[in-house]
Amino acid sequence: MTVTEHRTAAVAEIRSVIGDWAEALRRKDAARVLANGTQDCVVFSLAPPLKASDADAGGLDAWFSTWKGQLGFILEDLDIAVSGDVAFATALTHLSGEKQDGEKAALWYLLTLGLRRTDGGWKIAHQHESVPFYMDGSFKAAIDLDPRSEVDWQAPSRPPMPGVIAYLNLEDADAAASFYGRAFGAKEEDRKYAQDGSRLIHCHLTINGGALMLNDPFPEFGHPWKPPEGFVLHLVVDDADVWWKRAVAAGAEVTMPLEIAFWGDYYGQLRDPFGVTWGIVAPVTGGD
């Protein structure tokens, strides 16, 4: 066989190995997954720790047990390069499924596989999984990316926003955004849905000239919901009575009456239906 024919045969064998490995993952068959890898296979996965070994059937079975039924596992744009007894494969990978608690997960990520030719044929010796993160200062994993998206990711970035911006993790961020529109006159600037099409991975509101960001909890990615506490979002306004009455009419709960505080301003606190405390403050005018 010529060098080209050897390489073509190797690529075909590697493609078959990767296909069997992917099918084993779909069927949650730990022994079959491991059979396609070397004993010393190194794994850099999406989940902690930074570095692990794939030669652990118990660990794989424990992870498989967190899912109901079979997994969705799709490799797109699989590209294989071979040189001698070493090969590398890259692919865009889609993982989906339903967790035992009923939570549905779906995301695209980047996959790189390193393979070695052994006496038993080609085996996976290295796995590297990764997702990009947003370069907006949030450092949030960009799990909402889709290779079929028509978004121009090379478009110029928006100018930076001044000041400190609150980013709230709220149960039902969509309902919260609607409430903030009614209670505080919030204007929606942008929103992005997660792969499940229902939860918000990002929502940008403008309130009283400042930015407020919201998202839903994503416990499957280490961001569960926690009751908001230990902070107050202050709105410094010209007419406290107008802002106060609108928020109360929308359903905010009074926790500190609006009155002249010891430092001389009108001040009061409200709690919204999502557990967030808001302060309304305005200077006292000469006619008050």
Side-chain angles (χ1 to χ4, degrees), residues 166-181:
Y167 213 122
L168 304 181
N169 183 305
L170 301 176
E171 286 190 308
D172 199 345
D174 178 71
S178 296
F179 175 81
Y180 294 154

Side-chain angles (χ1 to χ4, degrees), residues 173-174 177-178 188-193 200 202-205:
D174 178 71
S178 296
E188 184 170 310
E189 305 290 345
D190 187 27
R191 69 167 52 203
K192 291 183 175 65
Y193 286 97
L200 284 172
H202 174 74
C203 182
H204 175 188
L205 305 177

Side-chain angles (χ1 to χ4, degrees), residues 28 58-69 98-100:
K28 301 192 297 188
L60 273 173
D61 280 329
W63 182 68
F64 286 150
S65 69
T66 65
W67 300 88
K68 291 181 180 179
E98 182 178 359
K99 305 294 283 188
Q100 292 293 350

